[in-house]
Amino acid sequence: MKIILLYGGQSAEHEVSILSAFSVLNAIYYNYYQVQLVYITKEGQWLKGPLLTEKPASKEVLSLTVSNGGQPGETYGELIMPCQIKETNAIVFPLLHGPNGEDGTIQGFLETIDVPYVGAGVLTSACGMDKITTKYLLQAAGIPQVPFVPVLKNQWKENPKKIFEQCEGSLLYPMFVKPANMGSSVGISKAENREELQLALEEAYRYDTRAVIEQGIEAREIEVAILGNEDVRTTMAGEIVKDVAFYDYNSKYIDNNITMAIPAQIPDEVQVKAQEYAKLAYTMIGGSGLSRCDFFLTSKNELFLNELNTMPGFTQFSMYPALWEATGLQYGDLIEELIQLGLNRYEQRQ
Ligand code: ATP
Ligand code: MG
Ligand code: MG
Ligand code: MG
């Protein structure tokens, strides 16, 4: 069988996707699968790369350039139309993070051309990517979250003073300002006062016309991994132990100054609650395949669900595969499970 690995992508999480893709390529069972690389450039071109029958020697093989324009030593890719990825006896693995990949757009396209794919479906991807929509769904399910104020770009442009008053009326500084559709902490800032709130909103609107402002809290960060279609499994919660104030892009992928504690050293009741909320949230957004559910845990052991990531970071430093490894499911077997879940979902829709 062929795995068509889609990676790169047009979002600000392009580089993260390449890191995730390389880790997956190192763990795939090549005695069962061949891997067709399909790289989506930052500009949105689709490049078909080599067919891999064994793990690549280096990450370089993933950086494809168009056949006629490359430098010596670069790996060439053939420019293709997206629909040309359709093949028999193949499954697409959209290892893309952020908008145009994790948000239902690619998933909708794959549904339209009728190919099986790994991970969440259209609705789940779209709802999980949009932090405002996620919050309303979680609210409906009665899952605790920090207070928030959604602010659309037009509302901000129209009347900044009203937005300041609205935020200050229901939230305290510091506040966290986020683009509604993004990941890897891109576009997120912490605001301690009005001036910073203004700058933070302007930063968020560089990525999305939808932003959300949240109550900032002092909290530990714990994460639960979820796997399954109808039959949903969760792991124990793990903790992101950070000595930085905020788990930003650099600490996630560049400095590596965080460590993971698996399982998180938290009371058993909190473990149980986190798994319960993660499962409920996953069900509420119609999850299939996988998701990583992120929580805040205060010193009083209050738990707030922060978000669901339907295509969580998948690098060798990432929490999602590490949580499964700790339960005895090795990285290669995890990929195998994800493929089977994707195939099962496809078959059930026929
Ligand atoms: P991911 O890479 O997990 O998809 P993301 O870009 O979707 O991340 P969040 O997880 O919402 O962003 O926030 C990124 C980080 O910012 C959190 O891990 C946490 O360190 C900090 N943070 C976010 N919201 C708050 C908050 N309300 N209070 C305190 N810290 C926060
Ligand atoms: Mg996220
Ligand atoms: Mg994410
Ligand atoms: Mg997060």
Side-chain angles (χ1 to χ4, degrees):
M1 191 173 199
K2 224 181 246 186
I3 298 172
I4 298 167
L5 190 66
L6 264 186
Y7 65 97
Q10 283 181 277
S11 86
E13 291 183 270
H14 183 98
E15 315 299 338
V16 181
S17 166
I18 295 175
L19 294 177
S20 291
F22 186 59
S23 297
V24 166
L25 285 175
N26 274 318
I28 276 174
Y29 296 140
Y30 290 93
N31 37 348
Y32 299 106
Y33 299 106
Q34 297 185 316
V35 185
Q36 175 61 60
L37 295 182
V38 177
Y39 175 55
I40 304 177
T41 67
K42 282 182 182 166
E43 293 73 37
Q45 290 177 317
W46 291 44
L47 296 179
K48 186 173 174 178
L51 181 68
L52 302 179
T53 54
E54 58 182 16
K55 72 182 185 192
S58 83
K59 207 173 107 214
E60 305 313 306
V61 73
L62 291 172
S63 307
L64 303 178
T65 51
V66 191
S67 325
N68 53 14
Q71 299 295 319
E74 286 178 325
T75 317
Y76 298 141
E78 175 203 353
L79 204 53
I80 57 165
M81 297 287 286
C83 56
Q84 286 175 279
I85 62 167
K86 185 170 169 143
E87 285 188 49
T88 49
N89 200 25
I91 183 164
V92 175
F93 194 151
L95 199 55
L96 300 159
H97 306 299
N100 272 321
E102 195 179 343
D103 64 350
T105 52
I106 289 282
Q107 290 74 14
F109 163 71
L110 296 171
E111 295 280 346
T112 307
I113 64 168
D114 192 31
V115 296
Y117 59 93
V118 169
V122 177
L123 179 74
T124 310
S125 301
C127 293
M129 185 88 276
D130 188 87
K131 292 184 193 297
I132 300 172
T133 306
T134 305
K135 285 176 192 297
Y136 286 135
L137 285 170
L138 299 179
Q139 210 164 46
I143 299 173
Q145 346 177 38
V146 296
F148 65 95
V149 177
V151 180
L152 309 188
K153 191 175 183 174
N154 283 343
Q155 298 174 311
W156 165 248
K157 290 283 168 229
E158 227 163 73
N159 195 343
K161 189 161 171 274
K162 187 171 159 196
I163 300 300
F164 284 139
E165 284 166 3
Q166 199 184 339
C167 292
E168 289 166 356
S170 47
L171 311 172
L172 299 166
Y173 291 107
M175 298 173 196
F176 270 78
V177 182
K178 311 177 178 183
N181 290 274
M182 197 43 75
S184 295
S185 303
V186 173
I188 298 184
S189 346
K190 186 178 181 178
E192 304 278 1
N193 51 49
R194 260 193 194 201
E195 292 68 40
E196 289 181 11
L197 181 55
Q198 167 162 359
L199 292 174
L201 275 167
E202 279 159 12
E203 173 67 10
Y205 293 132
R206 288 178 52 204
Y207 299 96
D208 197 353
T209 55
R210 295 156 66 74
V212 62
I213 304 172
E214 290 176 15
Q215 178 61 63
I217 54 167
E218 281 278 347
R220 293 164 71 183
E221 295 189 56
I222 68 165
E223 304 187 339
V224 173
I226 313 167
L227 181 66
N229 293 344
E230 292 81 26
D231 175 25
V232 181
R233 283 168 288 166
T234 57
T235 61
M236 296 289 274
E239 180 174 4
I240 300 288
V241 184
K242 53 186 200 307
D243 52 9
V244 286
F246 151 34
Y247 190 24
D248 63 4
Y249 187 90
N250 279 345
S251 59
K252 281 179 184 172
Y253 302 106
I254 297 172
D255 306 338
N256 289 321
N257 57 357
I258 56 115
T259 50
M260 296 183 291
I262 301 174
Q265 298 304 305
I266 54 177
D268 289 347
E269 315 85 79
V270 180
Q271 273 288 359
V272 171
K273 263 280 169 244
Q275 290 180 53
E276 210 176 282
Y277 287 143
K279 200 166 175 172
L280 177 58
Y282 190 72
T283 307
M284 279 299 285
I285 69 163
S288 61
L290 75 164
S291 214
R292 194 195 71 225
C293 191
D294 298 353
F295 294 91
F296 298 122
L297 179 67
T298 68
S299 55
K300 291 181 195 151
N301 282 329
E302 286 170 297
L303 202 54
F304 297 102
L305 205 159
N306 174 31
E307 61 157 351
L308 284 152
N309 291 287
T310 56
M311 190 48 77
F314 231 94
T315 72
Q316 66 269 42
F317 310 112
S318 299
M319 184 63 108
Y320 185 85
L323 283 169
W324 285 112
E325 286 221 27
T327 70
L329 186 63
Q330 300 307 312
Y331 200 114
D333 294 334
L334 173 62
I335 295 166
E336 177 58 25
E337 289 252 4
L338 289 170
I339 290 166
Q340 293 309 323
L341 289 169
L343 290 173
N344 288 347
R345 189 193 45 208
Y346 179 78
E347 275 154 24
Q348 287 193 356
R349 293 221 180 143
Q350 299 308 297

